[in-house]
Amino acid sequence: MALATQSDGAVESAVPGAVSAQRMMAGLKTLAQWSKVATTPGEASSFAWLKQQLDEIGLKTRLISHDAYISIPGPARLVIGERTVPAITHAMSLSSPQGGLTGLLVDLGDGSRKAFAGREVAGRIVLVDGIASPAVAALASAAGAIGVVQISPHHLLHEMCISPIWGSPSTQTRAALPQVVAVTVSNDDGRALREGLSAGASEVTLYAEVDTGWRKTPLLVGDMPSSGKPEEPFILLSCHVDTWFQGVMDNGSANIAMLEVVRLCMEARRDWKRGLRICFWSGHSQGRYSGSAWYADNHWTELDARCAAHVNLDSPGGIGGQDLTRTGSAGGLYDIAAAAIAAETGQKLAGRRKARSADDSFPGVGIPSVFGSLSLQEPGEVKMRNDLGWWWHTEHDLIDKIDPDFLVRDTRVVLRVVLNLLTQSRLPLDYSAQISKLAQELEDLSGRLGGRFDLGETLEAAGSLADALVRLRRGELDPATHDQVLMRLSRVLVPLDYTAGDRFVHDPALALSPWPVLDAIRRLASAPEGDEGRFAAVDAVRARNRLSHALREALSVVRGST
């Protein structure tokens, strides 16, 4: 049974025909005049304009200034022999020494963990395919390389942040900052470097200037409660403002779409059952989500007590962005996301996990989230890190990359989701499918483990929780109690599925497996007999204890209310 996704006609009455392409494109033209690199005057002007818009809509706003570790790339080049190759460097890369960084070039192909394995790269510069990434920078740093040369998939060079640290570094995480000088060259120049290697030319010099350090960054918050109760739950709607160059699609279009969503939600305010909080972040592009991470850390108690769900938006409305099936949703929000996409496009949401990106800094708190990048390009010949268009993170991200009709469509999808979260009498979260997938994986693991490891108790707890969730969905609780139960349940299940285990820290900005707690049990299932299996079993027992305890806790939350 799918969750209900309407509330007394409030959503349908607010959505059709209400989203204005003309109004949004006019606002986007204003934002497009400023380059919005973090801590620059253009970013400050953008924040001031956005604050003015929220003030005029009627929200109570605060423009916060906080410390963040920001990295702004400067000039870069690569020299081989007498030839100078155009290049860019990246946020959080090391700067080269004054006379450049010289080393032998080693070709590592795709730059995967397998490509690094067994290769001697200490003191050398590695050549790898693809857009710069934290994963490659981390592998190169761990292997003792001194530099990385990335080969772009085409002639354009894409700006990136290569830190694997989520948010600003701490004393415990700062050692994970990249220890390499990283540059990117075009595909033609990369091909020439490879040809030179086969001919015996292997020494290159990298020049890179990167300005990295602590700076004050802005954070804009807008609030509109549904009642006068200070403890009422709220829905968080957010996006980043800082970007590369003008960044009209990434992320000006999201800034404008959010304003439109807020404006139209206000027209249905009489139907709200929860409050609305808007956050515009800095430090996304040049600080690896430093703004949203700071907010999660410094407002943890309030978020834990009151935030029911997080809707994040990144890069909507791009030309060619026809595919909405592959956007992400954390389990509990799948139904309303799927319903909104189906209503506006007829497309079926594929059930893709919410990616570890796009300022989703709140899974540790236990807040379910949806979207990030919403509409995607169809996969093309050029192998990109994502499907947001060839202009992504380049100087070509200008207003001509926006399709007004697609921007309206994407905004309507987000509007439907936010209105449902605001106006449903009962919070429309459902964890049934998420727990069913967990139970299925536990069954599969139990089969792979044979008699080596008993998952019976954990499987029983997952099955009991699934049954209890069915009863919860019958809607027998009063709305206020129902919401509190769903929020308490979120605080157990979201961290279990989307973090490595500590609710008060941010995992690295790298991919995590579904239900990371299962990783130790997965390793045991693949481990050979003997000592290796015994070592793996120690971790697996502890993982089973943690998972079983969390499932019992979740079951207690649900049973205690039904």
Side-chain angles (χ1 to χ4, degrees):
M1 182 180 71
L3 284 172
T5 56
Q6 306 299 332
S7 175
D8 301 325
V11 176
E12 286 301 330
S13 66
V15 171
V19 176
S20 169
Q22 182 178 5
R23 181 167 54 217
M24 287 197 293
M25 292 305 293
L28 196 53
K29 185 176 180 181
T30 298
L31 275 181
Q33 68 184 298
W34 295 303
S35 174
K36 292 174 276 291
V37 172
T39 73
T40 62
E43 185 200 48
S45 295
S46 300
F47 268 94
W49 184 81
L50 290 166
K51 183 179 186 303
Q52 180 184 4
Q53 305 310 302
L54 291 182
D55 289 339
E56 290 176 358
I57 293 171
L59 274 68
K60 179 181 179 182
T61 62
R62 293 170 290 151
L63 188 56
I64 299 168
S65 178
H66 67 90
D67 290 326
Y69 198 67
I70 300 297
S71 184
I72 302 176
R77 68 187 190 278
L78 180 152
V79 175
I80 180 167
E82 299 298 318
R83 181 182 171 218
T84 297
V85 178
I88 63 170
T89 186
H90 298 289
M92 302 295 178
S93 165
L94 292 181
S95 293
S96 62
Q98 187 172 2
L101 179 75
T102 300
L104 297 178
L105 194 62
V106 179
D107 188 356
L108 291 187
D110 64 1
S112 64
R113 187 176 297 276
K114 183 178 179 180
F116 273 89
R119 297 294 299 274
E120 180 53 57
V121 300
R124 300 185 180 186
I125 297 170
V126 298
L127 179 70
V128 299
D129 290 318
I131 294 172
S133 73
V136 169
L139 287 170
S141 297
I146 58 174
V148 176
V149 179
Q150 299 271 172
I151 302 175
S152 174
H154 49 192
H155 68 286
L156 295 174
L157 310 182
H158 297 268
E159 303 283 349
M160 296 299 297
C161 177
I162 62 171
S163 172
I165 300 170
W166 190 285
S168 296
S170 70
T171 54
Q172 293 183 325
T173 63
R174 63 184 296 191
L177 285 169
Q179 299 302 306
V180 291
V181 175
V183 303
T184 291
V185 300
S186 72
N187 57 345
D188 286 344
D189 287 328
R191 190 179 305 114
L193 288 172
R194 281 212 166 100
E195 291 171 355
L197 277 175
S198 64
S202 61
E203 188 172 86
V204 298
T205 301
L206 307 183
Y207 295 86
E209 297 178 23
V210 186
D211 182 6
T212 303
W214 290 96
R215 294 174 169 84
K216 291 291 185 183
T217 56
L219 195 163
L220 176 59
V221 181
D223 266 309
M224 181 55 67
S226 67
S227 69
K229 299 177 181 178
E231 71 279 5
E232 74 166 356
F234 63 81
I235 306 305
L236 175 62
L237 175 62
S238 83
C239 67
H240 70 92
V241 176
D242 70 302
T243 187
W244 299 106
F245 308 101
Q246 272 69 32
V248 178
M249 181 190 77
D250 182 13
N251 205 30
S253 60
N255 302 162
I256 293 301
M258 268 183 48
L259 291 177
E260 189 75 358
V261 167
V262 174
R263 183 178 289 111
L264 294 172
C265 283
M266 289 289 285
E267 294 182 8
R269 191 173 172 227
R270 65 184 181 280
D271 297 305
W272 290 13
K273 305 299 187 297
R274 297 158 202 96
L276 180 62
R277 177 165 297 176
I278 313 300
C279 286
F280 288 96
W281 318 114
S282 180
H284 170 103
S285 301
Q286 291 83 35
R288 184 57 73 197
Y289 319 126
S290 59
S292 59
W294 179 92
Y295 194 75
D297 293 341
N298 286 272
H299 293 78
W300 198 97
T301 301
E302 182 191 27
L303 290 165
D304 180 46
R306 297 183 55 208
C307 187
H310 176 211
V311 180
N312 178 267
L313 189 56
D314 202 298
S315 306
I319 56 174
Q322 301 189 59
D323 183 0
L324 282 79
T325 67
R326 291 178 289 143
T327 188
S329 64
L333 289 167
Y334 172 82
D335 280 353
I336 62 169
I341 288 170
E344 292 298 333
T345 70
Q347 298 180 35
K348 183 178 180 180
L349 187 58
R352 183 178 179 181
R353 282 175 61 81
K354 180 73 172 63
R356 182 141 179 77
S357 62
D359 279 295
D360 190 9
S361 291
F362 309 99
V365 183
I367 300 169
S369 63
V370 69
F371 299 144
S373 300
L374 176 56
S375 53
L376 303 173
Q377 310 282 316
E378 296 294 337
E381 294 181 4
V382 176
K383 188 176 180 181
M384 300 283 287
R385 274 192 59 201
N386 59 33
D387 302 309
L388 290 176
W390 57 263
W391 58 88
W392 175 74
H393 284 204
T394 75
E395 65 272 26
H396 301 286
D397 185 359
L398 301 169
I399 202 164
D400 63 328
K401 306 309 183 300
I402 300 299
D403 183 318
D405 292 337
F406 286 177
L407 183 57
V408 167
R409 175 205 62 198
D410 292 355
T411 304
R412 285 165 60 102
V413 169
V414 177
L415 177 60
R416 283 181 179 274
V417 169
V418 175
L419 275 174
N420 269 303
L421 288 167
L422 288 173
T423 62
Q424 285 288 313
S425 59
R426 289 176 171 82
L427 189 62
L429 296 176
D430 180 15
Y431 290 103
S432 300
Q434 199 168 356
I435 295 302
S436 294
K437 288 180 181 179
L438 172 63
Q440 183 60 58
E441 181 162 6
L442 288 169
E443 289 276 10
D444 294 344
L445 280 171
S446 185
R448 289 170 57 195
L449 287 160
R452 286 199 295 160
F453 194 74
D454 184 11
L455 287 173
E457 179 184 332
T458 311
L459 270 164
E460 182 180 354
S464 297
L465 179 57
D467 292 341
L469 289 173
V470 171
R471 292 193 294 275
L472 180 64
R473 292 178 65 187
R474 293 173 183 160
E476 297 171 356
L477 298 177
D478 67 89
T481 302
H482 176 275
D483 281 14
Q484 286 301 315
V485 168
L486 262 296
M487 289 172 65
R488 288 171 60 201
L489 192 61
S490 297
R491 302 313 185 245
V492 178
L493 297 181
V494 174
L496 198 65
D497 194 4
Y498 282 87
T499 78
D502 190 333
R503 293 184 66 198
F504 300 93
V505 302
H506 302 279
D507 292 314
L510 302 169
L512 280 174
S513 306
W515 304 98
V517 65
L518 292 179
D519 284 348
I521 303 174
R522 293 167 180 141
R523 287 193 294 270
L524 176 61
S526 302
E529 298 284 352
D531 285 352
E532 194 64 32
R534 293 185 181 95
F535 287 131
V538 174
D539 290 329
V541 168
R542 293 168 182 169
R544 181 181 61 192
N545 290 342
R546 179 181 165 225
L547 178 57
S548 296
H549 172 75
L551 292 174
R552 289 194 301 269
E553 184 181 1
L555 186 58
S556 176
V557 168
V558 179
R559 282 180 172 172
S561 63
T562 56

